[in-house]
């Protein structure tokens, strides 16, 4: 079973606030990913990292930023939240060219 | 054409039947194939992966891969109402970028 954690699980916040979504894994995986998924819709990759100090933008343009200072930690930050950011954010990790394991997700609502 | 295609469903089967979920992919060089199950409002959960042509069985699940036809399927035997979920097919990117391409998923409904 994958040990990957996300906090908070649910967040309701007002427009213009800065938010950080936390993601941590205890498996020692080098590779970590952030996906965005609207209800009933596809997963979209927004950021990924192949190791410490390595971050890249994904396929879907996002106003969020990420950092990877420690192997186990891959937080996502929105400097100024907007209603268009309302979505579910899923963090995943992988050891290599193989399967990705997902965290429980953060459901974000921006009012 | 999408890189990974799945019928959105819903696929409705009676309890105890075999559910057959299909996925086609466009990049002939893809090597790794995954099936995830996602319950409504939850995150995807890996249930099967397959790398070689043929069948791979794990309990009630069987993954089938045909690289020549660029086709991967998931069979669920003795379907249970608890199997009702969306099933996502994922394929690795050929550029070896350690990224997966996900299909939009097939919704399965198992009728009691």
């Amino acid at each position: 079973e994958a040990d990957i954690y996300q906090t908070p699980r649910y967040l309701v916040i007002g427009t213009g606030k800065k938010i950080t979504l936390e993601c941590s894994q205890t498996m020692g995986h080098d590779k970590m990913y952030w996906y965005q998924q609207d209800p009933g819709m596809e997963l979209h990759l927004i950021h990924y990292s192949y190791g410490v100090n390595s971050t890249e933008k994904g396929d879907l343009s996002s106003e969020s930023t990420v950092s990877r200072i420690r192997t186990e930690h891959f937080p996502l930050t929105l400097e100024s939240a907007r209603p268009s950011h309302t979505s579910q954010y899923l963090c995943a990790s992988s050891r290599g060219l193989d399967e990705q394991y997902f965290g429980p997700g953060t459901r974000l609502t921006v009012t | 054409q999408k890189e990974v295609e799945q019928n959105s469903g819903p696929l409705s089967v009676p309890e105890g039947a075999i559910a057959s979920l299909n996925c086609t992919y466009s990049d002939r060089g893809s090597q790794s194939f995954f099936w995830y199950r996602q319950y409504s409002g939850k995150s995807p959960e890996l249930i099967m992966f397959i790398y070689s042509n043929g069948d791979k069985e794990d309990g009630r699940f069987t993954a089938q891969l045909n690289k020549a036809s660029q086709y991967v399927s998931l069979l669920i035997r003795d379907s249970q109402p608890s199997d009702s979920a969306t099933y996502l097919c994922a394929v690795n990117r050929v550029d070896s970028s350690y990224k997966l391409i996900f299909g939009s998923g097939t919704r399965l409904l198992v009728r009691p």
Side-chain angles (χ1 to χ4, degrees):
Chain A
E1 179 145 335
D3 294 325
I4 180 164
Y5 309 98
Q6 290 186 245
T7 57
R9 295 290 310 279
Y10 303 91
L11 179 62
V12 180
I13 200 161
T15 298
K17 300 290 187 184
K18 177 180 178 178
I19 58 171
T20 296
L21 307 184
E22 301 287 349
C23 176
S24 295
Q25 50 94 6
T26 59
M27 298 170 284
H29 287 172
D30 289 335
K31 297 161 185 65
M32 297 187 73
Y33 310 82
W34 276 104
Y35 292 87
Q36 186 175 341
Q37 186 182 34
D38 293 325
M41 303 299 285
E42 296 176 39
L43 285 164
H44 293 286
L45 181 67
I46 52 175
H47 297 283
Y48 60 98
S49 166
Y50 292 160
V52 171
N53 296 324
S54 153
T55 61
E56 301 286 345
K57 288 189 179 294
D59 304 317
L60 181 67
S61 176
S62 173
E63 294 165 349
S64 58
T65 59
V66 292
S67 62
R68 189 89 182 276
I69 298 172
R70 302 197 316 266
T71 298
E72 64 271 20
H73 194 214
F74 190 39
L76 180 145
T77 298
L78 276 166
E79 290 293 333
S80 179
R82 292 209 300 270
S84 61
H85 297 140
T86 295
S87 189
Q88 175 158 257
Y89 292 84
L90 295 160
C91 181
S93 73
S94 168
R95 193 189 316 276
L97 197 62
D98 292 313
E99 62 268 25
Q100 294 180 16
Y101 296 96
F102 285 83
T106 294
R107 188 169 297 280
L108 173 65
T109 302
V110 183
T111 60
Chain B
Q1 182 191 3
K2 288 187 175 182
E3 293 176 273
V4 178
E5 297 233 34
Q6 296 181 256
N7 188 316
S8 61
L11 172 66
S12 181
V13 301
E15 184 174 355
I18 295 175
S20 177
L21 304 160
N22 304 315
C23 172
T24 58
Y25 59 95
S26 61
D27 201 322
R28 193 168 284 280
S30 295
Q31 297 293 325
S32 306
F33 307 87
F34 306 89
W35 283 101
Y36 287 83
R37 176 176 62 199
Q38 186 173 26
Y39 292 112
S40 180
K42 303 295 186 183
S43 63
E45 173 193 8
L46 179 69
I47 53 173
M48 290 284 292
F49 57 86
I50 186 167
Y51 302 138
S52 305
N53 273 331
D55 294 0
K56 179 181 178 184
E57 189 174 315
D58 183 1
R60 294 187 296 114
F61 299 100
T62 299
Q64 299 176 317
L65 175 60
N66 184 326
K67 290 185 179 179
S69 300
Q70 295 175 242
Y71 176 97
V72 58
S73 64
L74 179 70
L75 302 179
I76 306 174
R77 289 182 299 282
D78 188 24
S79 295
Q80 301 297 310
S82 58
D83 294 326
S84 297
T86 296
Y87 289 80
L88 306 174
C89 172
V91 176
N92 77 303
R93 289 183 191 258
V94 180
D95 62 4
S96 298
S97 60
Y98 305 109
K99 293 187 283 188
L100 297 180
I101 309 167
F102 284 86
S104 55
T106 298
R107 192 157 68 92
L108 173 66
L109 178 63
V110 181
R111 308 187 305 272

